Amino acid sequence: MIRTGISMLALAAFLAAPAFSQTTFPAAPAAQATPTAAEAQAFLDRAQKEVTEFNLIAQRVAWVNATFITDDTDALAAEYGARGTEMSVRYAAEAARYQKAPGLSDEQKRQLTMLRSAITLPAPATPGAAQTLSDISTRLGSLYAKGKGTLNGKPINGSDIEAAMGTSRNPAELKEMWLSWHDQVGAPMRGDYVKMTAIANQGARDLGFADTGALWRSSYDMPPEEFARLTDRLWDEVKPLYVALHTYVRRKLNEKYGDAVQAKTGPIRADLLGNMWAQEWGNIYDVVAPPGAGDLGFEIGDLLTAKSYDWKKMVQTGEGFYSSLGFAPLPETFWQRSLFLKPADREVLCHASAWNIDEKDDLRIKMCIKVNSDDFVTIHHELGHNYYQRAYKDLPQLYRNGANDGFHEAIGDFVALSITPDYLVQIGLLDRAKVPSADKDTGLLLRQAMDKVAFLPFGLLVDKYRWSVFSGAIPASGYQAGWDKLRLQYQGIVPPAQRDETRFDPAAKYHVAGSVPYTRYFLARLLQFQFYKAACDQSGWKGPLHRCSFYGNKQVGARLNKMLEMGASRPWPDALEAFTGTREISGKPMMEYFAPLKKWLDQQNKGQPQGW
């Protein structure tokens, strides 16, 4: 499983979205009949200056809270969260007023739109609403970070339970871990989530949006309803590949566990897929691997152990990939200030993430690194955030972000696609004599698909669920049923036991508890294949797409850096075109990458019931 982290700027949308740096905040300016373009520019200049000043403090508070969780750091995070929320709402309201000014340039209009939609959880102007919203948000995040499940009746923390879900093949153990995590972590958040939704929705309506979901969908340089249609179109392009994979994996699980655990038809039991959220299935590759072709001859985790890799060598290797493309080394402070290992003496949020504390050169990652394949890939991913953050650091404040949030996630992911056997040979991890031959390509592609393809419907439904919660299409009385229905509809999975409305399983996922929009990860899964194909084309690769590694190609690095340096200064189609030559996000490069696997799956699935 790839732990897809979020950039610090994305987290700042919750903790330190555009806000003043003063402790006492000035009131919004009195209404004017017709603001001018000059006044709008003065507002934009002031806002960006104050955002930068506030974020420096707020991001340090967020870092301390994430790496040293106590009641005191929770309180500090809540306080700064309230300040950020309150001021984000003020800025958004002021931006809406200035959008009416005549003679605005296109850039001014776009910056005002960014300010209006920058906040993830808007609070209404009602006294105390921002503090209440921040208190709830902080409480939910802390509940998740401190959350525990059980294994054989003994408590087990979130990081360890993720690992255990990937290695256990005992259905009783898997069921216990799945149920205990969802019951002990998700269910207690339900009441607070109802309150948080109501407050945020009122704040969104005050800003002129239909609800919080519409606000989230407004950040993609297109109307919210058009963006929703785009995600549906993209899912339709790749759904046949997912259905073929689901059909094959279901049969293999039935063969291993029998009808009493996994039926031959219908949905798959969620806890059998090697991941707490059934979002990526790579951990059970051993269960589904085809005879012969499925034995790749190596496992990255074993290679790391054999070469005596520790956390530092793993991170240095990830840095080395970017250096090979021509990027400058990470600053010394990265090594001094990052969190690489889980401390034994305190609670930390182990969910992997990448930070730029001062929005200049104070780059960091936060991980509880284990020497295994998952974390080796995750390191390459998280560093992608850091190099993106550094590339756009000199842009105006509002443009210090990815072209859209899917871009930020896709950069590291497409680099990680280049972790091919040839790359492992180049860095000395794999002997060339052990590079899998062409007859192993089915296994190589199936192993990739178990993560990349399996994730797609989950990446889509997490926000589809929340959009429906925010709009009221899923009422508070039906939170659990709504979640189960969407997971069945899109993923074709079911929980290992019946769930009722005392439960709240979606909050057992970090991004729901932390109110992090999730569609970015769906977009990133598709964008990474577009970026990867473009890089391979630029490097002159002629073989099968999935065997391509552009490690060491500085031409690719130079063109990539041009896109990264654009940040959010242009609409995302401009940035996409700068690197790939096309302005449309598409699922076709992913389908091309996995075309040999799709053909093989269709052969394996002949005579099998399709879908669920």
Side-chain angles (χ1 to χ4, degrees), residues 209-386:
F209 297 98
D211 54 57
T212 307
L215 184 154
W216 289 8
R217 296 191 300 276
S218 70
S219 300
Y220 292 93
D221 294 303
M222 62 178 65
E225 60 276 8
E226 184 179 338
F227 178 70
R229 288 194 295 270
L230 171 63
T231 61
D232 288 336
R233 176 181 64 78
L234 293 170
W235 169 239
D236 287 341
E237 287 182 358
V238 296
K239 182 179 178 181
L241 179 58
Y242 177 79
V243 172
L245 180 66
H246 181 282
T247 301
Y248 175 78
V249 169
R250 178 180 59 197
R251 177 166 63 86
K252 288 295 185 179
L253 289 171
N254 172 260
E255 290 173 359
K256 178 171 180 61
Y257 293 116
D259 292 347
V261 175
Q262 175 57 57
K264 292 184 177 71
T265 62
I268 296 174
R269 205 176 101 174
D271 58 321
L272 303 179
L273 290 164
N275 176 273
M276 179 60 72
W277 308 278
Q279 67 181 55
E280 290 164 322
W281 307 347
N283 286 329
I284 62 161
Y285 177 73
D286 60 292
V287 176
V288 306
D295 179 11
L296 305 183
F298 71 91
E299 201 282 324
I300 291 177
D302 294 339
L303 298 178
L304 295 170
T305 301
K307 296 289 186 178
S308 300
Y309 271 57
D310 58 9
W311 67 265
K312 188 169 186 178
K313 181 65 173 173
M314 289 170 69
V315 179
Q316 288 172 331
T317 301
E319 179 190 32
F321 192 108
Y322 293 90
S323 296
S324 82
L325 301 180
F327 290 90
L330 293 165
E332 184 60 30
T333 53
F334 171 87
W335 301 98
Q336 297 167 348
R337 299 172 182 174
S338 292
L339 177 76
F340 299 109
L341 298 172
K342 188 179 190 305
D345 61 343
R346 65 183 192 268
E347 295 281 358
V348 302
L349 180 59
C350 278
H351 184 89
S353 55
W355 304 56
N356 188 355
I357 298 296
D358 64 358
E359 300 182 14
K360 291 296 181 185
D361 298 301
D362 192 356
L363 302 168
R364 309 179 191 182
I365 62 170
K366 176 182 62 60
M367 289 182 64
C368 301
I369 295 174
K370 300 178 187 297
V371 180
N372 58 34
S373 175
D374 287 348
D375 283 3
F376 185 70
V377 174
T378 298
I379 286 165
H380 285 71
H381 169 91
E382 294 302 336
L383 293 182
H385 286 303
N386 284 146

Side-chain angles (χ1 to χ4, degrees), residues 56-75:
L56 179 59
I57 301 173
Q59 290 182 109
R60 285 172 173 162
V61 169
W63 175 265
V64 172
N65 183 228
T67 59
F68 202 105
I69 302 171
T70 68
D71 291 342
D72 291 330
T73 62
D74 278 353

